[in-house]
Amino acid sequence: MTPAWLAPHVSRLRSAFAAGRLPHALLIHEAPGAGGEWLAGWAARMVLCSKGLRPGAASADAEASPCEHCASCQRAAHGQHPDLTLMRPLESSTQIRIEQVRDLAAELALTAHQGGYKVGILSPADSMNRFAANALLKTLEEPPQGTLLILVASQPSRLPATILSRCQRVRVRAPERTEAVAWLEATRGPGDWERVLGVLGIAPMTAAAADPAGVIEIAAEVHRGLEEAAAGSGDPVALAERWARSELPLRLTCVENWLTERIRGNVGGGSGFTEVRPGTHPLRHGESLDLRQLFGLLDAVRELKAAFDAPINRGLALESLLRSLEARRFTSA
Ligand SMILES: [Zn+2]
């Protein structure tokens, strides 16, 4: 089922393909969890479908392309199509490495097994390091005939300008909350999706891959832990150890949410109106010191999230975070 907020992109890509105007390289710039990889997979099936559109050939049934039923569509959907390569960071890493990009380039240079397109998807493409990006540049500059390269990224500014300038950009924004909830109910069944999105942000694809009850439970547990730490009644060492052991990225998101709520309370607006972005700390003269400290903690949490690949002791970093919370003794917002 095509998510409603992606339907306009689907329709534009279909028209471009039918008119023979599909570029060799797409950069899907997505809001995190908004479905960039879904759209990339769809575009791959569109060009690989054995019953679907062919460029230049008028088709009365363009809406039914890709058919989603032929062997090509099925194989592509299950990641088993010989002409489709999906590159993600390897399990032990958060980066797409140069060897992977070289493998992809070599694969794209071969003739398509099915005589049509060859498709490469890089996701998240902004996890390529500099060497990997340079290796990709060669393929982007001289793409083999019948190549579709799709880069999915939520922070494309991390990619070199030489890469960006060679891709046609597709901007996938986060859907409305109601659209996201409706899609989650339709694809995953009933659940407290409102609350799950409250924790994860409007990131329906992330929510779809999660256990909704588990997310809500962890959010409540982290909330309790932070309230205790702020009241000075918790045990930061035990808490940090427990949090570092399981679901740490989700827990850090929950800590981020908790701090953001407090910052909103502190600037006096209640919920919903202050967008808190990294690096923009709207401190004005006369505002409480608490706010500055809260922003400091928020930065620390974001650094910890960003440093997942780095060899730091996560337990210790968390513990120090909880201790500084305890030391501040924030009043509840
Ligand atoms: Zn098909």
Side-chain angles (χ1 to χ4, degrees), residues 160-240:
T162 43
I163 297 267
L164 299 177
S165 67
R166 284 174 173 84
C167 300
Q168 186 173 313
R169 198 179 290 225
V170 177
R171 183 80 170 92
V172 173
R173 293 175 197 285
E176 297 294 324
R177 183 180 291 262
T178 47
E179 277 179 325
V181 169
W183 180 77
L184 284 163
E185 278 173 351
T187 52
R188 285 284 319 268
D192 195 349
W193 297 112
E194 285 277 356
R195 273 176 78 191
V196 172
L197 294 177
V199 176
L200 299 176
I202 313 294
M205 298 298 163
T206 314
D211 160 28
V215 169
I216 292 167
E217 196 184 310
I218 285 176
E221 193 196 313
V222 170
H223 190 90
R224 255 194 327 273
L226 291 169
E227 294 287 336
E228 279 174 18
S233 63
D235 177 354
V237 180
L239 201 61

Side-chain angles (χ1 to χ4, degrees), residues 24-28 35-48 76-77 79 81 83-89 96 100-101 104-105 107-108 118-128 136 147-153:
H24 288 295
L26 292 170
L27 170 72
I28 299 179
E37 212 176 275
W38 185 95
L39 188 62
W42 181 89
R45 295 196 299 283
M46 174 181 73
V47 301
L48 294 171
H81 197 293
D83 294 322
L84 171 61
T85 310
L86 171 59
M87 280 298 170
R88 287 206 184 98
I96 293 178
Q100 292 175 277
V101 172
L104 175 66
E107 180 59 40
L108 292 174
K118 286 193 82 78
V119 186
I121 300 175
L122 289 131
S123 179
D126 43 8
S127 72
M128 274 189 291
L136 184 69
T147 299
L148 177 59
L149 203 55
I150 309 176
L151 284 66
V152 181

Side-chain angles (χ1 to χ4, degrees), residues 98-333:
I98 186 167
E99 300 80 22
Q100 292 175 277
V101 172
R102 283 189 183 138
D103 288 349
L104 175 66
E107 180 59 40
L108 292 174
L110 299 173
T111 310
H113 291 78
Q114 319 257 322
Y117 262 86
K118 286 193 82 78
V119 186
I121 300 175
L122 289 131
S123 179
D126 43 8
S127 72
M128 274 189 291
N129 61 30
R130 192 160 46 90
F131 305 107
N134 276 338
L136 184 69
L137 201 53
K138 290 195 192 83
T139 306
L140 279 172
E141 280 167 342
E142 294 165 33
Q145 190 65 31
T147 299
L148 177 59
L149 203 55
I150 309 176
L151 284 66
V152 181
S154 56
Q155 290 179 281
S157 58
R158 291 166 64 172
L159 289 166
T162 43
I163 297 267
L164 299 177
S165 67
R166 284 174 173 84
C167 300
Q168 186 173 313
R169 198 179 290 225
V170 177
R171 183 80 170 92
V172 173
R173 293 175 197 285
E176 297 294 324
R177 183 180 291 262
T178 47
E179 277 179 325
V181 169
W183 180 77
L184 284 163
E185 278 173 351
T187 52
R188 285 284 319 268
D192 195 349
W193 297 112
E194 285 277 356
R195 273 176 78 191
V196 172
L197 294 177
V199 176
L200 299 176
I202 313 294
M205 298 298 163
T206 314
D211 160 28
V215 169
I216 292 167
E217 196 184 310
I218 285 176
E221 193 196 313
V222 170
H223 190 90
R224 255 194 327 273
L226 291 169
E227 294 287 336
E228 279 174 18
S233 63
D235 177 354
V237 180
L239 201 61
E241 264 179 23
R242 201 166 71 239
W243 288 4
R245 263 202 310 272
S246 84
E247 301 284 358
L248 184 58
L250 173 59
R251 289 178 197 278
L252 289 176
T253 299
C254 296
V255 176
E256 212 180 332
N257 292 344
W258 187 86
L259 289 167
T260 306
E261 272 169 35
R262 247 127 217 92
I263 289 168
R264 282 177 178 151
N266 240 319
V267 294
S271 65
F273 89 102
T274 313
E275 196 179 347
V276 183
R277 291 173 181 280
T280 56
H281 299 174
L283 263 190
R284 288 179 294 274
H285 180 71
E287 278 175 348
S288 74
L289 190 62
D290 264 6
L291 195 55
R292 194 186 297 275
Q293 289 165 337
L294 284 165
F295 272 119
L297 284 168
L298 194 57
D299 280 345
V301 174
R302 284 173 174 161
E303 266 168 38
L304 201 52
K305 277 178 94 174
F308 252 65
D309 209 19
I312 52 161
N313 187 323
R314 288 163 196 168
L316 276 182
L318 257 180
E319 190 190 320
S320 107
L321 201 93
L322 289 166
R323 283 198 188 285
S324 47
L325 198 63
E326 192 179 6
R328 290 333 186 256
R329 296 284 167 92
F330 294 118
T331 47
S332 275

Side-chain angles (χ1 to χ4, degrees), residues 45 48-52 66-74:
R45 295 196 299 283
L48 294 171
C49 176
S50 53
K51 295 184 176 166
C67 76
E68 307 288 7
H69 300 294
C70 71
S72 278
C73 283
Q74 289 289 312

Side-chain angles (χ1 to χ4, degrees), residues 50-69:
S50 53
K51 295 184 176 166
L53 285 171
R54 287 293 166 268
S59 168
D61 204 13
E63 292 299 308
S65 179
C67 76
E68 307 288 7
H69 300 294

